[in-house]
Amino acid sequence: VLRDTPFSYLDGEEDQDQKNDVTYVCPYRGPVFGALTITNFRLYFRSLPLRDQEPPVVVDVPLGVIARVEKIGGATSRGENSYGIEIFCKDMRNLRFAHKQQNHSRRTVFEKLQTNAFPLSYSGRLFAFAHAAANSVNGSGGWNGWAVFEPLAELRRLGVPNDMWRATKLNECYAICDSYPAVWAVPKAASDDFLRRVAQFRSRCRLPVLSWMNPRTQATITRCSQPLVGVGGKRNSDDEAYLSFIMEANAQSDKLTIMDARPSANAIANKAKGGGYESEDAYKNVEINFLDIHNIHVMRESLRKVKEACFPTTDDSKWQTAIDNTLWLKHIRCILAGAVRIVDKVETMSTSVVVHCSDGWDRTAQLTALSMLLLDPYYRTVRGFEVLIEKEWLSFGHKFQQRVGHGDNKHSDADRSPVFLQFIDSVWQVSQQFHNAFEFNEHFLITIVDHLYSCRFGTFLCNTEAERVAEDLKHKTTSLWTHINSSLDQYLNPLFPSFTHGAELVLRPIASVRSVRLWKGLYCRWNPGLCAPQHGCQRT
Ligand SMILES: CCCC(=O)OC[C@@H](COP(=O)(O)O[C@@H]1[C@H](O)[C@H](OP(=O)(O)O)[C@@H](O)[C@H](O)[C@H]1O)OC(=O)CCC
């Protein structure tokens, strides 16, 4: 029987449990008998080859992907494979393993899964720390993914500082806004004291700061959270003056557009919690649009339905209806349409846009990052996309730890939501409409999603830049970009032209439901009947 598991152990990866008499109840091939290994990083199953020419069934799951582990059956269960463990994953899979009742092999497997998949719930540490500590030589040939994003360098690339915009380190101790980065770009007309006052009028102090500037026209995209208008309709002269500074910093236009990502009903409902939106009579020369993107609870439920429809399979006759009923593609279309509207304002009208939602760390990040990707070909290169994620998602405080639930067993936490996954899905949708516009390929996007969950790298850990600095992730964990950039060839798109024709500088994808389709390469990759083997199918 197999003793040496044929996967290559990662630095810091150690066996926790091994069982040789386990049955994996494969939804596609039926029950297969084999060996199960649990380490502090993964669950690995490999079937014993019945006939030597038959390829083994392999299941190789990073424990970070596990959302929930349940025991099925009890001592009295008599049905075939009715006694064992069911594992519910964040990447659309459910895995069932059957054990023999008599030797209690289930108990240690269950315990080892719990303590290693949810280390934070058992006062342990995420694997990323053990992995980096054991990572003797910086195996990536000197590549340091943590050096990919340097905020002042990225601002210089955008042309900041200039006559209208300055960089400020007012927040370098994260004292003004603990969920914002240390470095901001703001209109020169706004002093540091003025910025402090404006922050008081924005939810969680997330005042409007620069995301992107068109180097040619100086039209800008700024981002923030909702104003603290409340039911009483409070105003704040500093906040109002600040938005006019943002508008005046763009000589091309005497208007400013606010894109509120929410359905107007939710924006109004937020007044009940002290939030709300900018009224056009308080904010001169400002037009406000609502983009109808629903909140994190709606998106969590939508993805749950996608999983229900896709795993393990859906017969063709019900497929389209099942997918339509999830509303997932309607939500993706909404995000795409919102980004296209921002592109139109900034590029076609040379009007500056302020993007916000309620907290300004979920839908706002989706919209600024996606519109910047459409506007600026730099973000469509491998390195530029890595910078975009570091800047608009990580440094601006998208709560990755909470939205993914890294290392904790609170699988029904209402703060979990696939917001970042929706962004990557939206990028994939655009790549399907512009095949040669991206330096990276689908495997690059799927690898990012895999390591959103895996906890092998430090990149997606914690909720804010301040927390990452406090945890010293740059020294205690490895960056995902080190891993990717040290074997770049497998992530490159062969269709990408070595130069960018002027015409493709700005992408305007069609954002209609007809042009948006389910990303089967991600959501159905475990079903061998539905997709190519390169993304894990052979590992079902
Ligand atoms: C009458 C009571 C009013 C009330 O509770 O307001 C609270 C809002 C919650 O506001 P919503 O915007 O609907 O929902 C919020 C957004 O999804 C926000 O993300 P983002 O960064 O994208 O803004 C999350 O960070 C918040 O956790 C979530 O609560 O709830 C609603 O508006 C639901 C209405 C259908």
Side-chain angles (χ1 to χ4, degrees):
V1 176
L2 278 174
R3 290 305 302 168
D4 54 330
T5 36
F7 65 86
S8 48
Y9 283 74
L10 297 173
D11 290 327
E13 182 175 9
E14 289 161 8
D15 277 353
Q16 304 294 314
D17 198 4
Q18 283 223 345
K19 291 285 181 269
N20 290 319
D21 53 355
V22 173
T23 299
Y24 167 52
V25 187
C26 176
Y28 307 107
R29 292 182 178 78
V32 281
F33 188 75
L36 181 69
T37 302
I38 295 169
T39 71
N40 53 337
F41 171 71
R42 82 182 83 212
L43 168 153
Y44 186 87
F45 171 88
R46 187 184 178 83
S47 65
L48 292 180
L50 296 176
R51 288 173 293 285
D52 49 11
Q53 83 281 358
E54 193 174 84
V57 173
V58 169
V59 179
D60 185 350
V61 183
L63 298 179
V65 151
I66 295 177
R68 187 164 100 241
V69 186
E70 281 184 3
K71 294 178 180 175
I72 40 175
T76 58
S77 315
R78 285 288 164 268
E80 165 94 15
N81 298 323
S82 63
Y83 175 83
I85 281 175
E86 177 125 37
I87 296 169
F88 301 85
C89 295
K90 300 170 184 175
D91 68 353
M92 316 303 282
R93 281 181 279 188
N94 294 337
L95 305 166
R96 274 191 65 167
F97 294 96
H99 294 70
K100 295 184 178 57
Q101 270 108 324
Q102 66 277 11
N103 60 5
H104 289 301
S105 74
R106 174 173 82 170
R107 188 182 329 120
T108 54
V109 168
F110 183 78
E111 280 162 8
K112 290 298 180 187
L113 279 176
Q114 291 283 348
T115 52
N116 287 283
F118 313 120
L120 303 189
S121 301
Y122 294 88
S123 60
R125 295 206 82 184
L126 295 171
F127 176 72
F129 294 97
H131 183 49
N135 190 349
S136 43
V137 182
N138 186 353
S140 57
W143 242 106
N144 175 10
W146 292 121
V148 161
F149 173 56
E150 204 294 303
L152 289 172
E154 173 58 9
L155 285 176
R156 275 195 300 277
R157 191 188 66 81
L158 294 175
V160 174
N162 62 12
D163 54 340
M164 301 306 283
W165 290 85
R166 72 182 176 96
T168 172
K169 292 190 176 178
L170 174 65
N171 199 42
E172 67 185 336
C173 301
Y174 307 102
I176 310 299
C177 174
D178 63 0
S179 62
Y180 261 11
V183 174
W184 307 339
V186 294
K188 256 185 179 158
S191 70
D192 283 356
D193 276 345
F194 183 86
L195 294 172
R196 280 193 187 84
R197 292 199 301 273
V198 173
Q200 297 311 309
F201 192 63
R202 290 280 162 176
S203 174
R204 305 171 195 276
C205 298
R206 295 168 65 86
L207 75 156
V209 294
L210 186 75
S211 281
W212 186 77
M213 178 167 71
N214 183 318
R216 244 180 329 105
T217 68
Q218 317 272 311
T220 60
I221 297 174
T222 46
R223 64 180 290 174
C224 57
S225 61
Q226 64 184 327
L228 299 178
V229 174
V231 289
K234 271 207 291 304
R235 293 181 57 165
N236 180 292
S237 57
D238 294 319
D239 191 84
E240 291 165 23
Y242 187 58
L243 288 197
S244 58
F245 292 161
I246 291 172
M247 179 179 60
E248 285 150 12
N250 170 11
Q252 311 288 323
S253 169
D254 57 3
K255 284 199 75 66
L256 184 68
T257 297
I258 293 178
M259 294 289 188
D260 185 328
R262 302 170 290 184
S264 52
N266 287 42
I268 293 164
N270 267 274
K271 284 177 177 265
K273 276 178 40 177
Y277 56 94
E278 299 82 354
S279 69
E280 291 184 354
D281 54 27
Y283 292 79
K284 296 285 165 279
N285 303 320
V286 167
E287 68 160 13
I288 183 161
N289 304 281
F290 295 98
L291 302 180
D292 266 338
I293 303 169
H294 283 273
N295 67 26
I296 57 170
H297 312 295
V298 169
M299 303 311 181
R300 180 177 59 249
E301 179 57 16
S302 178
L303 184 68
R304 190 191 61 74
K305 289 180 181 165
V306 170
K307 174 170 180 173
E308 229 169 48
C310 293
F311 192 83
T313 56
T314 300
D315 50 271
D316 285 2
S317 63
K318 300 196 188 83
W319 171 258
Q320 201 47 57
T321 312
I323 294 303
D324 291 350
N325 293 344
T326 67
L327 300 181
W328 182 259
L329 296 180
K330 171 183 157 291
H331 296 314
I332 294 289
R333 187 207 68 81
C334 231
I335 296 163
L336 275 174
V340 169
R341 283 180 67 177
I342 292 168
V343 167
D344 264 353
K345 281 292 174 188
V346 171
E347 184 62 20
T348 316
M349 322 278 280
S350 292
T351 300
S352 292
V353 172
V354 179
V355 184
H356 78 66
C357 41
S358 292
D359 290 318
W361 49 38
D362 289 309
R363 291 164 287 194
T364 297
Q366 291 177 324
L367 288 167
T368 57
L370 198 55
S371 52
M372 288 159 74
L373 183 92
L374 299 177
L375 284 160
D376 189 337
Y378 171 69
Y379 296 124
R380 301 197 289 262
T381 65
V382 168
R383 186 179 179 116
F385 193 75
E386 294 168 356
V387 166
L388 185 65
I389 289 178
E390 288 283 349
K391 183 169 176 292
E392 290 306 306
W393 286 92
L394 289 156
S395 88
F396 272 102
H398 172 72
K399 299 158 64 160
F400 281 96
Q401 202 286 329
Q402 195 178 73
R403 292 286 178 264
V404 175
H406 291 134
D408 79 45
N409 61 359
K410 298 191 284 292
H411 55 82
S412 53
D413 183 339
D415 277 327
R416 291 191 183 185
S417 185
V419 171
F420 181 72
L421 175 64
Q422 283 187 315
F423 164 67
I424 300 293
D425 191 326
S426 304
V427 173
W428 180 80
Q429 302 291 341
V430 178
S431 74
Q432 295 305 295
Q433 297 190 32
F434 300 93
H435 287 290
N436 63 355
F438 294 83
E439 184 184 27
F440 48 78
N441 59 17
E442 179 184 38
H443 180 49
F444 176 75
L445 295 176
I446 290 183
T447 301
I448 289 173
V449 171
D450 279 343
H451 293 300
L452 172 68
Y453 301 120
S454 75
C455 299
R456 175 178 169 187
F457 303 104
T459 300
F460 294 119
L461 304 188
C462 300
N463 292 320
T464 65
E465 183 177 289
E467 286 174 7
R468 293 185 191 102
V469 168
E471 286 282 342
D472 196 16
L473 296 186
K474 293 196 172 187
H475 298 105
K476 293 190 176 165
T477 64
T478 308
S479 160
L480 168 59
W481 315 131
T482 300
H483 172 70
I484 287 180
N485 298 351
S486 52
S487 56
L488 212 41
D489 52 322
Q490 56 182 305
Y491 302 106
L492 297 180
N493 168 16
L495 298 176
F496 182 68
S498 50
F499 53 91
T500 306
H501 306 293
E504 280 145 16
L505 267 181
V506 175
L507 307 182
R508 286 181 176 77
I510 302 166
S512 75
V513 179
R514 281 180 312 287
S515 57
V516 169
R517 54 200 177 84
L518 189 79
W519 186 6
K520 284 202 181 102
L522 184 75
Y523 302 112
C524 304
R525 59 175 156 161
W526 310 117
N527 180 337
L530 270 179
C531 80
Q534 85 269 24
H535 289 307
C537 279
Q538 81 278 12
R539 294 186 298 176
T540 4

